[in-house]
Amino acid sequence: MTDIESRIDTSRPHTARIWNYWTGGKDNYPVDREAGDRIRELHPGIGEYAKADRLFLGRAVRHLAEQEGIRQFLDIGTGLPSADNTHEVAQRVAPDARVVYVDNDPLVLAHARALLVGTPEGRTDYLDADLRDVDTILAAAAKTLDLSRPVALMLLGVVIFVEDDEESYGVVRRLMDALAPGSHLVLSHTVAHPDMPDVDAAVAFWNEHGTPKLTQRTPEAIARYFDGLELLEPGVVSCSAWRPRTPTPDVAMYAGVGRKG
């Protein structure tokens, strides 16, 4: 058994594998599917959140590559590879785009090394690190990315796993402070919303049975991650409402894109 395999726990459901299950992937275990089905019973729309968040990623990356000229992406909390990963979307627009993926889940690591392969003109790399390990991430990412030039920092559904508010805001600020002017923050986050009470029940079930545990925040609290940045229209909204091609219902996953001046 390799070191990576020894770190994979199949006895408890894991968020990356459940997300994979909800988006139609096959990289999950019975314990993940059982938990995913139970969460979906408590909150039937949860599977749509995963799909909406993935579509938001594609729209945001495409916009940054096409309209903002971004050619470097630091994607932390990558999750299991799926359709239209960050490097695939970016390199369709700009084949020379460079992408560094970061995750601390061993199953994600194993799949990323095998599947997250980019164009010959560009470059992709993968780091085994926790979001909180800011110095480690930046030092390793600098081997692939030129941090003196703009970078898109991708934090989709990952700061939800940092329970302490000030720690989570601090991590995002430290990462953005290290990036050049013209860099962008792309962030999505599960939202606590009075109009969606069944979300609370699904989160409570997850935190009792799954790993890692997650924290909900209000739309106003999510907007704080963009303090000091220029928010792109339409601001911090349901990720399904961020520049969709066709109108779609809101989901309890909020997102935004901000530019560093």
Side-chain angles (χ1 to χ4, degrees):
M1 180 181 292
T2 66
D3 175 62
I4 291 176
E5 291 171 333
S6 69
R7 290 167 52 196
I8 297 174
D9 181 1
T10 61
S11 66
R12 296 188 67 188
H14 191 282
T15 178
R17 302 194 305 254
I18 291 180
W19 211 250
N20 177 264
Y21 172 52
W22 283 334
T23 54
K26 299 179 180 178
D27 299 311
N28 47 73
Y29 296 96
V31 67
D32 306 306
R33 296 189 285 275
E34 181 180 346
D37 289 340
R38 177 60 180 141
I39 292 171
R40 193 149 43 192
E41 289 174 9
L42 293 168
H43 182 49
I46 191 69
E48 296 307 310
Y49 296 7
K51 296 175 184 176
D53 194 47
R54 197 71 186 179
L55 291 172
F56 163 69
L57 179 151
R59 294 195 301 272
V61 171
R62 191 175 302 110
H63 170 81
L64 293 179
E66 286 182 345
Q67 305 300 322
E68 307 290 342
I70 300 296
R71 295 295 180 265
Q72 303 187 111
F73 296 81
L74 178 57
D75 188 337
I76 304 177
T78 303
L80 286 161
S82 182
D84 280 345
N85 300 289
T86 297
H87 75 281
E88 293 171 317
V89 178
Q91 291 177 353
R92 275 200 293 270
V93 176
D96 61 339
R98 294 188 168 205
V99 179
V100 172
Y101 292 105
V102 183
D103 208 292
N104 65 352
D105 180 78
L107 187 63
V108 173
L109 173 62
H111 283 75
R113 287 178 172 168
L115 299 176
L116 297 178
V117 179
T119 60
E121 302 93 329
R123 187 173 172 186
T124 61
D125 199 2
Y126 185 91
L127 307 179
D128 182 12
D130 186 275
L131 169 65
R132 300 172 182 86
D133 298 332
V134 173
D135 293 338
T136 298
I137 290 172
L138 292 171
K143 298 176 182 178
T144 300
L145 308 178
D146 179 356
L147 300 187
S148 69
R149 300 178 65 82
V151 174
L153 173 62
M154 314 287 296
L155 297 174
L156 273 67
V158 63
V159 294
I160 61 176
F161 300 118
V162 182
E163 181 178 4
D164 183 81
D165 286 345
E166 294 312 312
E167 182 184 13
S168 68
Y169 294 131
V171 165
V172 175
R173 282 195 296 269
R174 287 177 62 199
L175 286 164
M176 287 304 299
D177 284 348
L179 302 181
S183 294
H184 287 71
L185 171 64
V186 182
L187 183 145
S188 68
H189 196 300
T190 304
V191 68
H193 200 293
D195 294 337
M196 302 176 179
D198 48 348
V199 176
D200 296 338
V203 169
F205 175 86
W206 171 256
N207 284 342
E208 181 179 354
H209 299 280
T211 184
K213 299 186 186 306
L214 62 87
T215 299
Q216 293 170 278
R217 293 184 171 93
T218 64
E220 294 76 19
I222 296 168
R224 274 191 61 190
Y225 289 103
F226 297 92
D227 284 356
L229 304 178
E230 176 191 351
L231 264 175
L232 275 61
E233 292 293 336
V236 176
V237 296
S238 170
C239 63
S240 60
W242 198 90
R243 307 189 181 193
R245 293 183 176 179
T246 57
T248 54
D250 285 357
V251 297
M253 178 73 74
Y254 272 42
V257 180
R259 183 182 188 277
K260 179 178 179 178

